[in-house]
Amino acid sequence: MIGPDDRVAVALLSRVLTATAQASTAFLLLILVLATTARTAAAQSGIQDYQNYCAECHGLRGKGDGPSRLSIPMNPPPNDLTQMAKKNGGKFPFDEVVDSIDGRKNIPSHARLQMPFWGTTLQKPGKEFTPESDAEVKKRIESMARFVESIQQK
């Protein structure tokens, strides 16, 4: 038989478990919001570099229709960056995009020579290829890749 003390203990335990579940849910939601916000912030910071370095060829909207394509013969023409996830089975190829923007990882084909090696170009003057400069370049290139990810068409 359950006595009054047992009922109080069960009620207290129930309240503790409810509060714990609510706190856990709130914590998980906070992590999700922070992760989404960090990705959005990275995309936002990549917009400036994209506009400064990529839009001339790839266009402001990433469609491969930048103004340079009219005056500089490019074969192949600049990629439509909005279709990358679609062409990759619905998954944005983040690491490949980072490597492509950087340009230093793979031995380039002649076609690649049309696109600058941003991993070299973005180095800090006077501190080229130092850990500090490489870290900053990596951050900027990843931000540009996050921006490109943000413009993917479904």
Side-chain angles (χ1 to χ4, degrees):
M1 185 185 261
I2 297 177
D5 290 338
D6 293 330
R7 287 188 188 121
V8 169
V10 168
L12 182 59
L13 180 60
S14 175
R15 287 183 186 159
V16 168
L17 290 174
T18 300
T20 302
Q22 289 172 342
S24 296
T25 301
F27 181 71
L28 290 173
L29 285 173
L30 177 62
I31 289 173
L32 181 63
V33 167
L34 289 175
T36 302
T37 301
R39 180 170 282 184
T40 302
Q44 289 297 317
S45 70
I47 288 174
Q48 187 71 40
D49 277 337
Y50 177 86
Q51 289 174 343
N52 290 336
Y53 301 114
C54 309
E56 188 65 28
C57 294
H58 292 284
L60 287 174
R61 295 173 295 127
K63 295 282 200 176
D65 59 355
S68 285
R69 72 172 172 43
L70 300 174
S71 58
I72 300 172
M74 292 185 229
N75 188 16
N79 290 334
D80 179 346
L81 302 178
T82 67
Q83 300 297 310
M84 297 180 87
K86 186 184 279 187
K87 291 179 181 178
N88 194 47
K91 183 180 184 314
F92 182 73
F94 183 80
D95 292 334
E96 291 174 33
V97 172
V98 167
D99 290 345
S100 180
I101 295 169
D102 185 298
R104 297 177 289 171
K105 187 169 186 175
N106 297 316
I107 297 172
S109 66
H110 292 288
R112 165 61 203 209
L113 297 176
Q114 295 180 127
M115 184 168 154
F117 291 67
W118 296 114
T120 301
T121 306
L122 296 174
Q123 293 287 326
K124 289 183 177 186
K127 296 185 178 183
E128 292 88 348
F129 309 107
T130 62
E132 173 190 350
S133 183
D134 276 337
E136 181 62 28
V137 168
K138 182 177 191 267
K139 179 180 171 188
R140 289 176 71 182
I141 288 173
E142 286 178 351
S143 292
M144 284 190 270
R146 289 284 175 221
F147 170 71
V148 173
E149 182 179 30
S150 77
I151 62 171
Q152 295 305 292
Q153 292 184 345
K154 303 291 179 193

